[in-house]
Amino acid sequence: MGDEFYIKRCLELAAIAIGNVNPNPMVGCVIVVEGKIIGEGYHQKFGEAHAEPNAIKSVFEKHGNEAENLLKQATAYVNLEPCAHFGKTPPCADLFVKHQLKKVVIGNRDPFSGVDGKGIEKLKNAGIEVISGVLDDECRYFNRRFFTRIQQQRPFIILKWAETANRYFATTDGHQKWISGTLAKRLAHQWRTEEDAILIGKQTAIIDNPQLTSREWPGKNPIRLVIDKNLQVPESNHIFNKEAKTIIFNEIKTDVIDNIHYIQMEDMQFYLPQKIAFQLYLMDIQSVIIEGGANILKQFLESNLWDEARIFTSTSSWTEGIPSPVVNGNLTEQYQIGNDKLSIYKNDITK
């Protein structure tokens, strides 16, 4: 088994915790001696132990008194550079030094200034052999939310909508009319468990009265974000229930009432996507799904402030309606989800 095999195993482990470690990256760690995995672990929840101590712990649990000697012969694989600073947990690089590991193989260097090469340097200074850059692109894409937040000072932004076969997005008379099928809805709810937040505009909140929860899929609810400049959404609407934290961006007040947070912004008619993105960055929100309406989606598209677009296309057609937003991106994946087609676009001009 080569280095790439074990780094891929790190990614498999790390993916188990998707949606639970933000704003930290997803990290897995595999410890190997003579081609045999003797321990592995992953970062399970924000604020708790990182992947490396969990992997070391598993070695001691499995091998008892032999663990210390085994670790001195071991190679540790980790998809992101071990941290070298004290945060909510001690430095993981120090743990490898303490147990005198023979070698550490790394996917990505950590872009965070508190680490960025410092973990590698600490390992090398202790006489540990270090190889980095294994499956670098794959590991970077895997933690694209984290890299976007650190390098661009904004959350990873996902645009999502459903459209008819003839590219209508919503009705013209303001009545809700469902476009995609039940499997598409379940998948959309799974996505909600994987991202930090979900954002809609005032019109969507009023017309659709959505719950914006993950009730069709096991997992956490995202933070609900609503753009409501003049606070016109009725407080009887679902977004004001206690099922999830809700943030209302508006021009009138800043206040906290139970789980409802009002954040006042100035001149929301100017540079709104940029203001929202920066505010979410300041709040440590690492990723957001934007579900509409058409005007909000259009603003983020025109500002070129998006990373992925996930579009469900149904087989049905309407005689009239509001046209779907136009996405100018690279079509990378297509899937059949029940009777709907899912197209995923990537924005290659975000850098």
Side-chain angles (χ1 to χ4, degrees), residues 272-293:
L272 181 61
Q274 292 87 342
K275 290 175 180 176
I276 294 289
F278 186 61
Q279 182 65 48
L280 297 183
Y281 168 74
L282 294 177
M283 297 165 64
D284 275 344
I285 290 177
Q286 186 163 260
S287 61
V288 59
I289 302 172
I290 300 178
E291 285 208 356

Side-chain angles (χ1 to χ4, degrees), residues 1 6 30-39 63 70 74-75 77:
M1 303 297 183
Y6 294 114
V30 176
I31 300 177
V32 178
V33 173
E34 296 179 352
K36 180 182 177 182
I37 294 175
I38 63 167
H63 300 280
L70 284 171
T75 297
Y77 292 85

Side-chain angles (χ1 to χ4, degrees), residues 196-214:
D196 284 352
I198 184 167
L199 181 144
I200 60 170
K202 174 197 69 177
Q203 287 299 112
T204 301
I206 292 173
I207 293 170
D208 293 349
N209 190 17
Q211 299 181 57
L212 302 184
T213 61
S214 308

